[in-house]
Amino acid sequence: MTGEGEDGGQQEGVTRRPQRRKKVVLAESKATRGVARTIVELEEQTSVGEHLVRSLVRAQFRTALTMALLTMVTLASLPLLFYLFPDFADLTVFGIRLSWVLLGAAPYPLIYGMGVWFVRRAERHERDFVSMVDR
Amino acid sequence: MTFNLWACACIVVVVVLTFYLGYYGSRTANTTRDFLVARRRVSANQNAAAISGEFLSAASFLGIAGLVLKEGPDQLWYAIGFTAGYFALLLFVAAPLRRSGAYTLPDFVEARLGSKGLRGVAAIVTVAIGYIYLIPQLQGAGLTLATVVPGTPEWAGIVLVTVVVIVNVLSGGMRAITLVQAFQYWVKVFAITAPAFVLFTVFVVGGPPEGQHDLTSTKIPVFTADTTVTLDDSVRIRVVEPIRLEVNGVVDGMPANGKAIWLSGVKDVSAHTRLSFPAGATVPMVEGATVHNSDWLRPQSGGRSALFNTYSLIFATFLGILGLPHILARFYTNPDGRSARRTTLHVLLLLGAFYLFPALLGALARLYEPGLLVTGRTDTALLLLPQAMLPNVFGQMIGALAAAGAFAAFMSTSSGLLVSLAGVVSTDVSRGRVRDFRWSTLLVMVVPVAAALGLRSHDVSLGVGMALAMAASTFCPLLILGIWWRGLTWIGAGAGMVVGGVCVACAMITDIVSGYTGDWAPALLQQPALVTVPLAFGTMIIVSKATHRRRPEEVNRIMLRLHAPDPLGFIKDRDVLRFGEGQSDGRHRRLAIRSRLRARRS
């Protein structure tokens, strides 16, 4: 079926069913130029390519999970602390309840900081992957 | 309260600017890609402002301060959970979801699991979540307009927001609302920071109102002046200390007129009853509010069930945000996975900046506006507080600003929801052309408007909490497992989504029924996430393992596309494959069909 389409002229091409359309690449993006061979390897799903992808996914997931657990354990310990130690919940520092600061302001810098850290590490994993592919 | 000209002016300004920006943004919008993903060319910073603008709904803008006024700092977990939810989105979903090249959430489901049937299920869940989220937005708009411009009926605000949103979405879809939402984020930030700073200054200079008990004392808040409260809805009021008051209306089913003494106990007060309290009387509060200031000030003073509620809330928000379809739709507008990640990071900053203020305003409201605890309309605290603290023109102006911010919140959230719902309906039910998108927009909006007009208005945040529980129990496990686990099959995903979704829906319906018949439902039903989310995850994993033969054959290639760094160029945007690039309406397709027919004949 596809062999038929190759020698048909432009006029024929218009009249074909949509699934016979060919993808025409006019320009490769500059970053992909140097890495064509390994990309083919990745796309072809050779064992090397699959192994590379698996290790990337695992590294990214481990980073994400670590960050999530760190942040959640820190934040989620607060209600339990307040529940178990009412004196801690009533603690006053400079005339302001510490618990209100811990719930109203402190979590946001913490979460943002963890976010910055995560993005750095995730992008480093990706750079490592690209440089490994780009041999 | 008198007719507030300032508030009207501010709301009109925001509405007109919204129209204008929508028009400006949609001048060049004419393709499906414009309408659904704004050509995928939105920069990280602009998209972050738009996402924050879309997300900071009535629940954040009015609801959190109101809940803090009523129940204390435990309610700040909404704000923390929302921000942490975006953090989870950043960690697990943002970049891979964008790299999937999908158009809508159902589109992602089909791309990852290769099942048309499941795509339909995902579309239904998307619409359900969208509706649960949209109804409180519209009701909040009605409530706000009725509060700042006394005399207007509740439907007026609902209709106003509906019209503005529909016009913008019809004219330019995602392209139009990107600019609008980014603008509305800054409106909201200004509308909450300015009152916070001004009112805090007033508090520091003037001190708490004469006669009001300190927030650290063990007493109950009192009325500092003679106060008359008119109830709009019937409420159940808990009286702790005996008070002397004047009643005009119906109490406990019996007509009551004239002076009365309420001893401690519970009173059912019917709608339209007028209660007049003398200065110095303690404030009787709606059932559920925290009565004593010392309990109110201390987090986790409500015992074990409150602790359970808090954890369930944290769970629902942390995992629910990453399943909200209208939020995810905005991530498809980024050019690539890396910028999707940068966008989310920026969102964390923008949301964090906003959420510093509701706690302060809630605490001030407890000192200055305790009358709201009688009616239970604590959502209006931010709107009424400025005038209670500054009974002059200046207070009116600040209050008007807050009202304008609230309207920005309703409009940006509703328009985001509408675009994502119309996107899903137009690409799943019809063929996804611009014309289909416009029809879907109108069609989709009918049900929520009708529901908003018909249903009883609940606390604005609670509806959102339910939508989050639904998202956390359906799309969240689907996305996390779909992105990170090769073993997910479409049968497992479908089973998990159905189990999670049905459980949450049952809890929600039971909760609504119990709300009408005397609040007998246990706390679990108001915050079901702690049970339903593990249930959905478990079902998906077990059923997927049992049906591992149905794993999509291309799973390795799909994982590669989701996780490969952007420079390698594996992103394949499905919209180009599915709808044809730059197709604006049915014309091209008709021409194509005609020539195809001609070819067949010859």
Side-chain angles (χ1 to χ4, degrees):
Chain A
M1 268 166 73
T2 36
E4 213 183 1
E6 261 150 28
D7 49 17
Q10 302 99 310
Q11 261 194 327
E12 289 276 319
V14 179
T15 63
R16 299 210 170 271
R17 293 221 300 267
Q19 54 261 54
R20 289 195 204 162
R21 277 188 189 167
K22 282 280 159 65
K23 185 179 177 187
V24 180
V25 181
L26 295 178
E28 292 283 349
S29 85
K30 55 190 166 189
T32 61
R33 224 176 282 146
V35 293
R37 190 178 53 79
T38 336
I39 285 184
V40 169
E41 210 160 74
L42 289 174
E43 182 80 354
E44 300 276 297
Q45 301 292 311
T46 62
S47 59
V48 178
E50 202 186 314
H51 177 75
L52 280 175
V53 176
R54 265 179 201 270
S55 63
L56 172 72
V57 172
R58 206 169 298 142
Q60 295 285 45
F61 186 64
R62 207 177 297 138
T63 312
L65 200 63
T66 314
M67 299 276 176
L69 287 179
L70 265 178
T71 314
M72 276 333 275
V73 167
T74 315
L75 289 177
S77 64
L78 285 176
L80 198 64
L81 282 177
F82 292 139
Y83 176 72
L84 293 178
F85 308 106
D87 290 342
F88 172 65
D90 279 338
L91 206 62
T92 306
V93 179
F94 301 119
I96 301 171
R97 288 289 168 120
L98 184 66
S99 52
W100 280 68
V101 176
L102 285 178
L103 292 178
Y108 306 110
L110 171 79
I111 292 172
Y112 183 69
M114 295 298 278
V116 172
W117 192 22
F118 168 75
V119 169
R120 280 210 195 130
R121 285 187 61 176
E123 287 184 353
R124 195 191 308 147
H125 288 316
E126 292 187 350
R127 270 200 306 277
D128 291 349
F129 183 80
V130 172
S131 60
M132 200 160 15
V133 171
D134 189 9
R135 276 173 298 195
Chain B
M1 208 167 105
T2 52
F3 178 74
N4 191 337
L5 199 66
W6 289 102
C8 288
C10 275
I11 291 174
V12 166
V13 167
V14 169
V15 168
V16 168
L17 274 174
T18 301
F19 265 129
Y20 174 73
L21 287 174
Y23 165 74
Y24 181 82
S26 59
R27 280 169 315 163
T28 51
N30 48 19
T31 66
T32 306
R33 266 154 58 84
D34 281 322
F35 274 74
L36 287 185
V37 288
R39 286 191 196 164
R40 303 204 197 264
R41 284 287 169 271
V42 183
S43 74
N45 284 0
Q46 196 190 0
N47 204 16
I51 289 173
S52 313
E54 176 172 303
F55 181 71
L56 292 174
S57 60
S60 297
F61 194 81
L62 301 175
I64 294 175
L67 285 170
V68 168
L69 156 69
K70 193 160 125 189
E71 294 173 41
D74 290 338
Q75 302 303 320
L76 291 173
W77 282 107
Y78 272 104
I80 301 171
F82 290 156
T83 318
Y86 274 95
F87 181 58
L89 186 84
L90 169 70
L91 294 179
F92 295 109
V93 174
L97 186 73
R98 171 59 193 93
R99 285 179 187 140
S100 75
Y103 231 155
T104 60
L105 250 179
D107 211 24
F108 170 82
V109 171
E110 195 194 338
R112 169 67 181 80
L113 298 165
S115 160
K116 285 255 182 219
L118 192 59
R119 188 191 169 107
V121 176
I124 292 169
V125 178
T126 304
V127 173
I129 294 175
Y131 279 174
I132 302 173
Y133 212 106
L134 195 50
I135 293 165
Q137 303 305 318
L138 297 175
Q139 288 183 332
L143 177 67
T144 304
L145 199 66
T147 306
V148 295
V149 187
T152 47
E154 282 209 4
W155 57 263
I158 297 177
V159 170
L160 177 66
V161 166
T162 307
V163 168
V164 174
V165 164
I166 283 188
V167 168
N168 266 348
V169 173
L170 283 183
S171 66
M174 193 59 115
R175 198 84 198 275
I177 68 164
T178 299
L179 203 58
V180 168
Q181 289 177 333
F183 159 73
Q184 281 166 343
Y185 169 75
W186 294 108
V187 170
K188 279 179 266 188
V189 165
F190 184 62
I192 201 163
T193 48
F197 279 118
V198 171
L199 299 181
F200 188 65
T201 314
V202 171
F203 170 72
V204 169
V205 173
E210 198 91 3
Q212 183 62 277
H213 295 303
D214 206 36
L215 287 178
T216 53
S217 74
T218 53
K219 304 234 172 62
I220 303 171
V222 295
F223 292 103
T224 53
D226 294 349
T227 310
T228 301
V229 175
T230 308
L231 300 176
D232 293 313
D233 299 312
S234 53
V235 290
R236 171 169 287 194
I237 295 177
R238 179 171 288 280
V239 186
V240 176
E241 282 180 9
I243 45 169
R244 202 183 288 273
L245 75 165
E246 209 168 300
V247 187
N248 278 303
V250 181
V251 178
D252 287 336
M254 311 264 273
N257 285 300
K259 289 192 192 307
I261 294 178
W262 281 1
L263 302 172
S264 56
V266 176
K267 302 270 176 198
D268 278 312
V269 186
S270 301
H272 312 300
T273 303
R274 207 172 65 221
L275 307 170
S276 303
F277 302 94
T282 55
V283 177
M285 296 182 191
V286 285
E287 192 96 304
T290 311
V291 177
H292 295 280
N293 271 350
S294 52
D295 290 339
W296 173 83
L297 191 65
R298 183 193 310 134
Q300 299 306 331
S301 56
R304 200 170 295 165
S305 73
L307 189 68
F308 173 84
N309 260 1
T310 306
Y311 275 116
S312 203
L313 175 67
I314 293 173
F315 210 67
T317 45
F318 186 70
L319 293 176
I321 299 286
L322 59 76
L324 284 180
H326 69 294
I327 298 295
L328 294 174
R330 286 231 56 101
F331 281 91
Y332 303 122
T333 64
N334 277 121
D336 55 25
R338 186 170 176 270
S339 60
R341 219 181 256 142
R342 299 257 147 168
T343 299
T344 328
L345 188 61
H346 205 75
V347 169
L348 294 181
L349 192 67
L350 297 180
L351 287 186
F354 181 88
Y355 282 138
L356 294 174
F357 300 98
L360 177 68
L361 290 163
L364 286 176
R366 183 128 180 140
L367 286 172
Y368 288 87
E369 196 66 56
L372 290 174
L373 293 166
V374 181
T375 58
R377 292 215 151 178
T378 47
D379 287 330
T380 58
L382 181 56
L383 305 172
L384 298 178
L385 186 60
Q387 289 206 53
M389 291 182 73
L390 286 169
N392 52 28
V393 177
F394 203 55
Q396 279 189 10
M397 281 164 68
I398 298 285
L401 196 59
F407 258 84
F410 302 130
M411 288 190 292
S412 60
T413 307
S414 329
S415 49
L417 282 161
L418 189 55
V419 163
S420 68
L421 289 183
V424 167
V425 171
S426 68
T427 55
D428 277 69
V429 178
S430 50
R431 289 188 297 181
R433 296 162 305 183
V434 169
R435 197 164 23 135
D436 300 328
F437 181 87
R438 290 194 166 126
W439 276 113
S440 308
T441 304
L442 291 175
L443 200 70
V444 156
M445 204 60 183
V446 172
V447 175
V449 170
L453 292 171
L455 285 176
R456 190 175 72 152
S457 64
H458 220 247
D459 276 352
V460 173
S461 277
L462 291 181
V464 172
M466 235 4 139
L468 285 169
M470 182 68 109
S473 321
T474 52
F475 285 134
C476 161
L478 175 83
L479 284 168
I480 289 189
L481 293 176
I483 289 172
W484 299 101
W485 187 46
R486 278 154 210 270
L488 188 70
T489 64
W490 72 266
I491 303 173
M497 266 167 57
V498 168
V499 167
V502 167
C503 285
V504 174
C506 287
M508 195 168 74
I509 291 165
T510 319
D511 191 43
I512 291 176
V513 170
S514 100
Y516 279 104
T517 54
D519 281 326
W520 44 266
L524 173 66
L525 293 182
Q526 282 165 20
Q527 289 292 349
L530 206 51
V531 175
T532 54
V533 175
L535 202 63
F537 264 104
T539 312
M540 273 193 200
I541 293 173
I542 291 168
V543 177
S544 291
K545 292 230 168 183
T547 57
H548 64 275
R549 294 227 180 85
R550 300 297 190 88
R551 215 183 263 197
E553 282 167 21
E554 286 217 308
V555 65
N556 285 323
R557 192 159 294 172
I558 295 166
M559 291 308 258
L560 171 68
R561 201 194 315 149
L562 293 181
H563 294 281
D566 307 306
L568 299 180
F570 283 113
I571 293 188
K572 248 186 239 158
D573 284 343
R574 281 173 63 83
D575 49 342
V576 180
L577 299 176
R578 221 168 147 239
F579 304 108
E581 189 150 16
Q583 183 181 325
S584 58
D585 53 32
R587 199 168 143 264
H588 298 289
R589 193 176 295 232
R590 264 204 310 280
L591 286 177
I593 290 169
R594 202 175 300 153
S595 55
R596 211 181 297 153
L597 287 175
R598 209 181 300 138
R600 203 168 290 164
R601 249 178 260 132
S602 62

